[in-house]
Amino acid sequence: MIVTIIDRLTETNPQIMREWQGRLTPKNISIASVISLVGQLLVYLYYQNLLPVGAGFSRYCTANPPHNNDYDPYSGLKYCIQDLNGQWMIISRLWWLDIFTFLSITGIFALLVVGTYQLIADLSGEERRGTLNFIRLSPQPARTIFIGKIFGVPILLYLVCLLALPFHLGAGLLAGIPLSLILAFYAVLIASCAFFYHAALSFALATPWLGGFQPWLGSATVLIFVFYSSIFTLSGPNGRTPFDWLILFNPSFVLPYLVKSTFLPPDAVRYLGISQIFDLRWYGQSLWQSVIMGISLILLNFALCTYGLTRILQRRFHNPLATLISKPQSYWMMGYFSAISLGFVFQTLEPSYIFDNFVILSVFVAIFGLLILFALTPPRQTLQDWARYRHLQGKKGISLGKALIFGEKSPSTLAMAVNLAIAILFILPAIFIAPLHQYKLATAAGFLLAMNMILVYAAIAQLLMLASTNKRALLAASSIGILIIFPFLCFAVLRVNPSQSPLLWFFTFLPIAATKYATLPSFALAIFSQWLGLTLVGWQINRQLNRLGASATQALIPS
């Protein structure tokens, strides 16, 4: 039956067979099998070694200490005793739960980090060898090709995990976890793999100019995210900040549901407490207290984000010169991002906490705005063609404003202004409704200043994308990075605090940090200066486009 399923899969998706042919060799299969089996044996022996052998202490012992000195409250180790048969009295469920949790966390790291590296390295390698263009010419749709990549490239990694599946499933059942919850965890893990793998392929298509650095940068980013979010999930309650939304992208977030189902005392487990889920609120609602509702929301979040990434892959694969997303798609993405992230601001009614959450939200929106900026900015040749023929659009009934807001090949500055306006329409009313009290005006002013700065960055990036150098994307990305980081480095060296010089902070990536200490004239001066700079850069962009369009037209006219 398995052979029949594989035959049908390879017939409907030849890309899978192409990926498997070079990887599923007897040598590779043997190595993957040995790694998985030996790893499982080492894990079992390690935890077996933690069980009591002689008189002493262990976290798995069941007996109450006969004396106060026989219990270590800092390590949680209990005094070990034997029953009448000479067997150590231990909490076997806790022992199996530790094995299950360790295998779960290890599997998450392996699948997300290693799988991301393999996919980015494979696609970037195909791009350098030129075989990716050959794949583009095949009659297969982009969706089929990328499904083949996702199922084919990490196939040896899948084999390692599949061989460990019986041990992991058995450990969970012996720990007292219901089968339905274990299967739900597998569903979340598969959904997270789909999201991160689509993100890895999108990253590989979007940044060919990084060369061989692509897989290292992509996998390192995933590693850092999974590492810190796992520590956060394992060790403590949620921080009641918009950062909690990011934690939902780590499959380990659902593990507390599984730990709670074992009915082991929290003092015995001492990790993955359910409080970080029960305390999580979205627009003030505790939606994650229900297991079914919580896991369903996590899967829905993965599904929506993965769908957006599939649109990016389908758009960019067959046309490498196209922008990653269209302008209407960017508006939907910004609306979704603003609505979702705003909900995690209201996890407390304390004004100072809400202000800090709006500071974090301002950073989130700014970072997402920069990502949309680079996803929307067309290459120089596309802009040159648009500048050459834009006068023809008026004859077709397409106004310049409509072309700039919805056009595929037009500059991205006005579209970025629309995106930021969408974020402002979502978030600014919430600022005035929220119980911020004395922080209300400072929060609103800081958010508006931050959006203005993102618009200035967008205009500068668009101008740099018109440069004649071949490294335009790298030039624009590095320049914006310098504009963001350099002021903070200067402030750190010169010890310029927001309370001392708030006006200087208004021209940084985080102006909201200084709005509490500023006056109304300084706000007005900052906004006037931002729009003056934006006007000058916009004038330069228009001048450059006119020059490019005129020079391209002259090149077509025979002398």
Side-chain angles (χ1 to χ4, degrees):
M1 182 177 179
I2 297 178
V3 176
T4 304
I5 294 175
I6 293 176
D7 290 338
R8 290 182 179 178
L9 185 62
T10 53
E11 287 177 3
T12 56
N13 195 326
Q15 184 65 32
I16 294 181
M17 178 57 69
R18 177 178 177 267
E19 301 296 340
W20 284 358
Q21 284 177 346
R23 292 176 173 85
L24 290 179
T25 62
K27 178 182 178 181
N28 290 341
I29 293 175
S30 301
I31 294 174
S33 301
V34 169
I35 291 174
S36 180
L37 296 175
V38 171
Q40 295 174 59
L41 179 61
L42 292 176
V43 171
Y44 180 81
L45 293 177
Y46 172 76
Y47 280 97
Q48 187 72 30
N49 190 52
L50 297 180
L51 294 175
V53 177
F57 298 88
S58 173
R59 79 184 241 102
Y60 305 112
C61 293
T62 60
N64 293 321
H67 305 290
N68 292 333
N69 295 331
D70 293 331
Y71 177 74
D72 186 353
Y74 297 102
S75 65
L77 300 180
K78 298 179 182 179
Y79 181 76
C80 302
I81 63 173
Q82 295 173 313
D83 59 15
L84 296 178
N85 294 323
Q87 301 295 324
W88 292 106
M89 299 177 64
I90 64 170
I91 309 174
S92 59
R93 281 193 173 191
L94 180 60
W95 187 73
W96 284 110
L97 178 64
D98 284 354
I99 294 177
F100 176 85
T101 304
F102 179 82
L103 292 175
S104 300
I105 299 297
T106 304
I108 291 171
F109 272 88
L111 286 169
L112 299 187
V113 179
V114 179
T116 297
Y117 177 87
Q118 290 179 332
L119 285 167
I120 298 176
D122 177 80
L123 200 62
S124 61
E126 299 246 34
E127 183 77 40
R128 289 194 301 271
R129 292 190 301 268
T131 55
L132 189 59
N133 291 329
F134 175 76
I135 298 176
R136 286 189 174 105
L137 297 175
S138 67
Q140 301 178 69
R143 181 179 180 181
T144 302
I145 292 173
F146 286 113
I147 289 177
K149 287 286 185 184
I150 290 174
F151 280 96
V153 173
I155 184 61
L156 294 175
L157 177 62
Y158 297 156
L159 178 61
V160 172
C161 295
L162 284 175
L163 290 175
L165 187 61
F167 185 32
H168 181 263
L169 181 61
L173 294 175
L174 291 172
I177 302 173
L179 179 60
S180 59
L181 281 181
I182 298 177
L183 295 179
F185 170 71
Y186 291 157
V188 173
L189 182 58
I190 292 172
S192 68
C193 288
F195 168 74
F196 280 98
Y197 290 172
H198 280 81
L201 293 172
S202 302
F203 176 76
L205 289 178
T207 58
W209 40 273
L210 286 175
F213 188 59
Q214 275 181 302
W216 295 105
L217 179 60
S219 58
T221 303
V222 175
L223 175 62
I224 293 172
F225 166 75
V226 176
F227 177 76
Y228 282 104
S229 58
S230 296
I231 291 178
F232 179 88
T233 305
L234 287 167
S235 60
N238 74 79
R240 297 186 299 176
T241 69
F243 281 115
D244 294 334
W245 181 35
L246 298 180
I247 308 299
L248 297 181
F249 289 94
N250 189 332
S252 65
F253 184 80
V254 303
L255 289 177
Y257 289 129
L258 280 65
V259 173
K260 183 176 183 294
S261 67
T262 63
F263 297 103
L264 290 168
D267 292 339
V269 179
R270 303 188 69 190
Y271 58 76
L272 291 174
I274 199 68
S275 61
Q276 59 257 49
I277 292 182
F278 282 3
D279 292 342
L280 183 62
R281 297 179 180 273
W282 189 66
Y283 287 104
Q285 304 299 315
S286 301
L287 302 178
W288 284 267
Q289 287 191 355
S290 168
V291 177
I292 297 177
M293 174 69 76
I295 294 179
S296 299
L297 289 174
I298 293 172
L299 292 174
L300 178 62
N301 184 57
F302 274 125
L304 292 174
C305 294
T306 304
Y307 172 75
L309 292 172
T310 57
R311 300 298 299 271
I312 293 176
L313 289 173
Q314 293 172 359
R315 177 181 176 84
R316 187 60 178 263
F317 179 69
H318 289 296
N319 186 5
L321 296 179
T323 56
L324 289 175
I325 56 177
S326 65
K327 292 183 174 66
Q329 287 174 346
S330 71
Y331 305 148
W332 284 103
M333 289 181 178
M334 178 58 81
Y336 173 78
F337 179 85
S338 301
I340 295 297
S341 57
L342 177 62
F344 291 95
V345 170
F346 301 100
Q347 300 195 57
T348 176
L349 297 179
E350 186 68 28
S352 60
Y353 274 102
I354 296 180
F355 174 76
D356 293 339
N357 284 350
F358 272 110
V359 173
I360 297 173
L361 179 63
S362 176
V363 175
F364 272 18
V365 175
I367 293 175
F368 190 74
L370 291 177
L371 294 176
I372 286 184
L373 164 63
F374 287 104
L376 279 181
T377 304
R380 185 175 187 267
Q381 184 60 49
T382 301
L383 291 173
Q384 186 174 359
D385 295 339
W386 179 83
R388 183 194 308 171
Y389 299 111
R390 64 176 173 176
H391 65 281
L392 299 177
Q393 295 179 348
K395 298 179 181 180
K396 297 179 181 179
I398 302 175
S399 64
L400 179 60
K402 186 176 181 180
L404 291 173
I405 295 176
F406 299 104
E408 290 284 332
K409 301 179 180 180
S410 58
S412 61
T413 308
L414 186 56
M416 280 301 303
V418 174
N419 274 289
L420 297 177
I422 292 172
I424 291 172
L425 289 176
F426 268 102
I427 297 173
L428 195 60
I431 292 176
F432 288 106
I433 295 174
L436 285 163
H437 302 310
Q438 69 271 24
Y439 303 108
K440 194 178 295 289
L441 292 178
T443 306
F447 183 74
L448 290 175
L449 288 172
M451 297 303 99
N452 282 342
M453 285 304 301
I454 296 302
L455 194 56
V456 173
Y457 295 150
I460 294 174
Q462 183 63 86
L463 179 61
L464 294 175
M465 287 298 291
L466 296 173
S468 57
T469 177
N470 293 329
K471 301 292 184 179
R472 289 178 292 273
L474 182 60
L475 174 64
S478 57
S479 299
I480 298 303
I482 292 173
L483 289 175
I484 293 173
I485 298 174
F486 185 72
F488 294 111
L489 293 178
C490 292
F491 292 164
V493 173
L494 300 177
R495 297 182 180 179
V496 178
N497 296 322
S499 58
Q500 297 174 344
S501 303
L503 184 60
L504 295 178
W505 281 77
F506 288 168
F507 300 98
T508 66
F509 188 70
L510 194 62
I512 194 173
T515 50
K516 293 188 295 184
Y517 313 104
T519 59
L520 185 61
S522 61
F523 286 134
L525 178 60
I527 292 176
F528 174 78
S529 301
Q530 288 173 341
W531 280 95
L532 177 62
L534 185 62
T535 302
L536 293 176
V537 177
W539 174 79
Q540 184 63 26
I541 291 174
N542 188 59
R543 181 170 174 269
Q544 188 76 356
L545 286 173
N546 290 332
R547 187 182 66 82
L548 287 175
S551 61
T553 303
Q554 291 173 0
L556 297 176
I557 300 176
S559 56

